[in-house]
Amino acid sequence: HARRVLESAEAQATTPSTEEVQVALMNLGMVQNLSDDYVGAEATYLRVIGLIQSSGRPLNDRLARAYAGLASAYHDGKRHDLAVKSFDQAIALKRRHEGLLTARQVPLIEKYIDSLTELGRYQDALQAQKYVLRIATREHGADSPKLAPTLEDIGRWYASIGAYDQSRRTLKQAIAIVEAA
């Protein structure tokens, strides 16, 4: 269905980079990624990125979503080296468009952390974890029990890389916040 929508959008388009074609490509890329067709999703997202950039008026939000889709296809296809580069682009564009500490970035950053961890880039992954914590702290407050799930995620991440002392400290911090509340 997504291919038919793309064909229809291309047939009706006045230029190859029209917004309807871009949107149809984004939808096709998402469907391909969800269908485990990571190579097809990669080609589709690269095509839409090219169209957006050549359109003369690139929309940062759509370009960020295209890079995020490309990064997700790389991530899901276990091509973490390429995923990290695309996540860097997507996150930078999102921050430019939405602001620095927005919760809408978190799902993207979580996959970014996963790719960094898979590559053994633990310091970079830790920096991203701290950024997610800053977002959660800003959104909920430093003493809010709603901060506990973020701390728990970070504690589990520490444990997954064998940093058990840091894991224990972070999980105890989460427990302390919940008990204090």
Side-chain angles (χ1 to χ4, degrees), residues 155 158-159 161-173:
Y158 272 128
I161 63 167
Y164 300 112
D165 290 339
Q166 292 93 332
S167 174
R168 237 182 327 276
R169 265 194 306 273
T170 306
L171 292 171
K172 283 182 180 180
Q173 184 181 359

Side-chain angles (χ1 to χ4, degrees), residues 84-97:
V84 166
K85 292 176 186 175
S86 295
F87 279 126
D88 284 335
Q89 285 282 53
I91 292 168
L93 288 165
K94 278 233 177 256
R95 287 179 183 164
R96 240 181 264 140
H97 179 71

Side-chain angles (χ1 to χ4, degrees), residues 90-149:
I91 292 168
L93 288 165
K94 278 233 177 256
R95 287 179 183 164
R96 240 181 264 140
H97 179 71
E98 296 174 358
L100 286 177
L101 297 171
T102 60
R104 290 178 48 185
Q105 301 174 47
V106 172
L108 193 60
I109 296 170
E110 288 172 342
K111 280 189 167 188
Y112 179 58
I113 290 167
D114 187 49
S115 286
L116 289 168
T117 302
E118 287 293 323
L119 294 173
R121 293 176 52 187
Y122 302 132
Q123 276 308 114
D124 293 332
L126 178 59
Q127 287 305 109
Q129 291 281 16
K130 288 179 180 179
Y131 193 79
V132 170
L133 182 59
R134 282 183 62 203
I135 291 171
T137 302
R138 182 172 187 239
E139 187 173 326
H140 305 297
D143 298 329
S144 173
K146 291 182 179 180
L147 196 59

